[in-house]
């Protein structure tokens, strides 16, 4: 097996684990609603998840561990994906908060940093930011 094959295989395993985390968050409050299903399907395409993998993950989503990410940008991208699926129903509940905190830590953030990022991201997604916070976000861009 070549180095390229190993890299592709590792990358795909990482994508499968991430997709499993997405599915776990989507189904934590019951069956997938229409918006969640659309988003899950979009992530499946984005992450190159096969139909067989999709079915296995939906049936056994907890069997795939979260893969830690070495780069902060990769961690943040994974968390953003998870927030998109959480907020597909326009709300976040206590179980989802606990699960995303666990995933953030498993991705490689410290407990303190994970809590801070989740708090700030929740405010952004829920629309609970004031003008000063909004301007700060725009200055970052």
């Amino acid at each position: 097996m070549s180095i390229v094959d190993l890299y592709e295989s590792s990358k795909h395993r990482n994508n499968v684990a991430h997709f499993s985390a997405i599915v776990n968050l989507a189904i934590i409050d019951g069956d997938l609603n229409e918006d969640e299903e659309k988003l899950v399907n979009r992530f499946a395409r984005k992450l190159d998840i096969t139909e067989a993998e999709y079915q296995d993950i939906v049936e056994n989503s907890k069997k795939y561990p979260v893969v830690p990410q070495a780069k902060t940008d990769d961690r943040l991208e994974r968390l953003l994906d998870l927030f998109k699926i959480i907020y597909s129903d326009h709300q976040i509940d206590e179980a989802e908060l606990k699960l995303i905190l666990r995933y953030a830590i498993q991705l490689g953030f410290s407990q303190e940093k994970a809590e801070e990022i989740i708090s700030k991201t929740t405010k952004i997604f829920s629309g609970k930011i004031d003008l000063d916070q909004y301007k700060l976000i725009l200055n970052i861009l």
Side-chain angles (χ1 to χ4, degrees):
M1 183 178 276
S2 73
I3 297 292
V4 173
D5 291 336
L6 284 173
Y7 172 76
E8 287 301 317
S9 175
S10 174
K11 181 180 174 186
H12 186 71
R13 279 194 307 275
N14 192 347
N15 285 346
V16 167
H18 182 53
F19 184 71
S20 178
I22 290 168
V23 170
N24 276 327
L25 281 166
I27 63 175
I28 195 167
D29 55 0
D31 292 332
L32 294 177
N33 67 38
E34 187 177 327
D35 291 335
E36 289 170 332
E37 189 171 357
K38 286 178 188 176
L39 198 51
V40 165
N41 288 333
R42 194 170 90 215
F43 278 118
R45 286 188 301 277
K46 176 183 173 185
L47 298 169
D48 294 322
I49 304 300
T50 67
E51 185 61 34
E53 289 168 330
Y54 184 100
Q55 291 305 318
D56 186 50
I57 290 167
V58 168
E59 293 171 13
N60 306 298
S61 61
K62 294 189 184 343
K63 93 176 194 185
Y64 299 94
V66 174
V67 177
Q69 302 296 301
K71 297 179 185 173
T72 301
D73 281 355
D74 292 341
R75 290 183 206 148
L76 289 173
E77 182 179 11
R78 297 292 189 186
L79 275 180
L80 180 59
D81 289 347
L82 298 175
F83 269 100
K84 287 177 184 176
I85 196 67
I86 287 173
Y87 275 96
S88 64
D89 64 359
H90 310 290
Q91 62 184 359
I92 188 168
D93 62 31
E94 192 63 33
E96 290 167 329
L97 275 172
K98 287 179 183 177
L99 191 56
I100 199 162
L101 176 62
R102 192 175 88 215
Y103 286 146
I105 293 167
Q106 290 173 341
L107 283 170
F109 289 110
S110 68
Q111 172 95 22
E112 182 179 299
K113 192 64 173 173
E115 289 172 353
E116 177 186 352
I117 291 168
I118 289 167
S119 174
K120 289 178 179 180
T121 306
T122 301
K123 287 179 184 175
I124 293 167
F125 271 84
S126 65
K128 296 178 182 172
I129 60 172
D130 61 25
L131 179 58
D132 290 334
Q133 291 169 323
Y134 180 65
K135 290 189 311 189
L136 181 62
I137 291 168
L138 292 178
N139 284 333
I140 292 171
L141 302 176

